Amino acid sequence: MSELKVAVITGAGSGIGRAVAIHLARAGYQVALAGRRLDALEETKKEGGALASNLHPIVTDVSDEGSVNALFAEVVRRWGRLDVLFNNAGRGGPPVPIEDLPVDIWKDIVNINLTGMFLCAQAAIRIMKSQTPQGGRIINNGSISAHAPRPFSIGYTATKHAVTGLTKSISLDTRAYRIACSQIDIGNAATPMTERMTKGVPQPDGSTRVEPRMDVNHVAQTITQMVSFPLETNVQFVTIMATTMPFVGRG
């Protein structure tokens, strides 16, 4: 890896993306902050404090091919290379029975959680293959739901299962170009997205229970460790979760 280290983080305006961005900036990366809301990206930059000069907001809609291509073109224009893509942007859906989920919401979940990851990976691979030195690292945000669904989560669960296929295909098809692809499956990190768990969430047995959460910075520390390895070493899959959350043996 060259002395200049460059990372792209999608969904960088809040939660996991924000925490990872700040940790990678601390590790010396120039970080492109990708997300749909400039005000949220600017807040991530502000929270970086003394690291703000390493954090660069770039408004991006990952579900739009033109917007994604513009993001990665800007990365090349500014820095001439790309070392890390953290494919983090995603959304859930309303907790409703399968037959009541509107098709337009289903399509939006697929467009962001799956097509968006594909588009970003595609653009990153093009850069990583052509740069000198060749290669880089792609980390896809899977989720505990890549293994076990929550009640009434078909859109989120189906796309997170699909992310595993995406990860495996990227790993296989790009290994000749020194591209390492990983998946991180995260359970109950303390972010605004999981705030509802402090009040109770539906369980498979029909009950509603409060679930424990973990510090989101532990996710960021894990990713920082993953990207610190040489490209000859890959953490193919990693699960990080609140120790006592109902995952193994759900509920």
Side-chain angles (χ1 to χ4, degrees):
M1 187 181 288
S2 65
E3 183 177 347
L4 173 66
K5 299 184 293 185
V6 180
V8 169
I9 297 177
T10 66
S14 64
I16 291 167
R18 175 174 290 174
V20 172
I22 292 171
H23 275 72
L24 290 189
R26 188 175 297 122
Y29 282 80
Q30 296 297 321
V31 183
L33 306 173
R36 288 191 285 192
R37 292 176 44 223
L38 180 59
D39 60 333
L41 300 177
E42 291 287 1
E43 184 60 29
T44 297
K45 181 179 178 71
K46 180 180 177 181
E47 288 200 18
L51 303 168
S53 62
N54 285 29
L55 299 166
H56 309 273
I58 303 176
V59 174
T60 307
D61 178 356
V62 298
S63 68
D64 180 84
E65 183 180 9
S67 183
V68 169
N69 288 339
L71 164 66
F72 286 90
E74 180 63 13
V75 168
V76 172
R77 187 191 72 80
R78 292 193 191 192
W79 300 293
R81 66 175 295 103
L82 175 63
D83 299 288
V84 172
L85 164 64
F86 180 35
N87 248 336
N88 170 66
R91 64 154 294 180
V96 298
I98 294 168
E99 65 272 23
D100 294 333
L101 182 68
V103 173
D104 60 338
I105 294 179
W106 165 270
K107 289 180 178 179
D108 194 51
I109 295 170
V110 172
N111 285 341
I112 293 171
N113 293 9
L114 183 57
T115 303
M117 279 201 186
F118 165 73
L119 291 172
C120 290
Q122 189 176 57
I125 289 164
R126 291 184 183 122
I127 297 170
M128 291 172 177
K129 281 179 64 173
S130 63
Q131 66 192 7
T132 304
Q134 189 181 61
R137 194 177 299 276
I138 297 171
I139 301 174
N140 296 325
N141 189 344
S143 170
I144 291 291
S145 293
H147 306 279
R150 287 188 177 278
F152 305 124
S153 67
I154 190 167
Y156 189 78
T157 295
T159 53
K160 291 304 183 178
H161 273 69
V163 168
T164 302
L166 192 76
T167 299
K168 290 179 178 180
S169 287
I170 295 169
S171 295
L172 176 62
D173 294 348
T174 66
R175 61 172 58 155
Y177 310 110
R178 297 186 74 244
I179 296 173
C181 184
S182 310
Q183 180 172 316
I184 184 167
D185 298 321
I186 303 164
N188 290 10
T191 68
M193 183 178 178
T194 62
E195 186 65 33
R196 63 193 175 89
M197 293 177 183
T198 64
K199 300 176 177 64
V201 290
Q203 303 296 314
D205 63 3
S207 66
T208 297
R209 291 201 296 273
V210 171
E211 290 191 13
R213 301 190 300 164
M214 63 174 175
D215 188 339
V216 70
N217 288 300
H218 297 162
V219 177
Q221 290 165 14
T222 302
I223 290 176
T224 302
Q225 178 65 51
M226 291 166 72
V227 304
S228 74
F229 292 122
L231 292 176
E232 290 70 28
T233 299
N234 188 36
V235 179
Q236 183 70 71
F237 292 97
V238 61
T239 300
I240 182 168
M241 54 182 268
T243 304
T244 57
M245 69 169 287
F247 168 49
V248 178
R250 277 246 194 222

